[in-house]
């Protein structure tokens, strides 16, 4: 549309560009927030695996440290290894953490 004097009328152009770009910005923000959440869950899972392996090495039950994660305990000689597996982002991203502890002090 042209105004008097031949100048183009740009009213509403920024609104249209924002409406076109906003869904992409929302998706990128959601992925970034989800990624931070998944990373935090991985760190917590690694801590829990360490706690569970030390508990198993002492002869205690490692399951209370696993939370809702699947747990696998493997004993090789005096080494007790625990692997925890779970998912993040609604089951989309699989997470796993392993830790070993020396059971020689039992």
């Amino acid at each position: 549309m042209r105004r008097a004097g031949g100048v183009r009328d740009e009213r509403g152009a920024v609104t249209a560009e924002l409406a076109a770009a906003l869904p992409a910005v929302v998706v990128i923000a959601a992925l970034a927030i989800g990624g931070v959440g998944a990373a935090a869950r991985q760190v917590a899972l690694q801590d829990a695996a360490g706690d569970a392996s030390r508990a198993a090495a002492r002869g205690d039950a490692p399951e209370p440290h696993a939370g809702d994660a699947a747990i696998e305990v493997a004993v090789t000689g005096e080494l007790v290894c625990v692997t925890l597996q779970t998912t993040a982002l609604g089951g989309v991203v699989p997470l796993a953490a392993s830790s070993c502890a020396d059971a020689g002090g039992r």
Side-chain angles (χ1 to χ4, degrees):
M1 177 185 263
R2 294 198 180 262
R3 280 195 233 166
V7 178
R8 281 188 66 165
D9 187 6
E10 297 287 332
R11 286 183 294 179
V14 172
T15 303
E17 291 170 5
L18 178 64
L22 191 60
V25 170
V26 169
V27 168
I28 290 170
L31 287 174
I33 292 168
V36 169
R41 185 154 169 103
Q42 177 66 39
V43 169
L45 190 67
Q46 187 63 49
D47 287 344
D51 293 342
S53 67
R54 287 188 295 277
R58 286 191 310 264
D60 297 337
E63 288 82 8
H65 300 282
D68 63 346
I71 186 169
E72 178 184 330
V73 179
V75 179
T76 306
E78 292 187 355
L79 195 63
V80 178
C81 295
V82 173
T83 301
L84 300 179
Q85 295 179 344
T86 190
T87 59
L89 297 176
V92 176
V93 178
L95 301 175
S98 297
S99 183
C100 297
D102 185 13
R106 280 201 253 188

